Amino acid sequence: MSENMSERELEALKIAFTYMPRAIEVTKYEYGDRCEKILMHIEKVRGVLANNDIDPEEVYGEINPEDTPNSSY
């Protein structure tokens, strides 16, 4: 199954991804029994982004460039 998406669909997925918690933030204390399911959802979205040649680590800066610090390099 191909996971290539249209530009509009990718943009919507990237926006939604910026509102998802980061995997490191998902704890049993915060999310209880849903913890594992939420982690699976995060990994699924990251996988779809990666399959469409999008680095999940760069998505937030692309969607919210005004909130992203400049590189110190």
Side-chain angles (χ1 to χ4, degrees):
M1 177 176 90
S2 174
E3 292 192 39
N4 289 337
M5 302 170 72
S6 72
E7 289 300 316
R8 185 173 180 208
E9 291 168 326
L10 282 172
E11 186 72 14
L13 184 61
K14 288 191 271 185
I15 291 168
F17 184 69
T18 66
Y19 291 96
M20 293 179 78
R22 295 178 187 252
I24 197 167
E25 299 169 343
V26 179
T27 64
K28 278 257 192 218
Y29 176 76
E30 193 72 30
Y31 293 94
D33 293 337
R34 297 180 5 227
C35 182
E36 291 301 317
K37 186 173 187 177
I38 292 168
L39 289 171
M40 288 186 330
H41 289 168
I42 293 168
E43 278 308 305
K44 185 177 281 192
V45 172
R46 290 177 65 85
V48 171
L49 290 170
N51 286 341
N52 283 276
D53 298 323
I54 297 169
D55 181 354
E57 300 300 323
E58 301 293 325
V59 169
Y60 188 85
E62 181 183 333
I63 298 299
N64 299 300
E66 66 281 354
D67 294 337
T68 306
N70 291 332
S71 174
S72 61
Y73 296 111

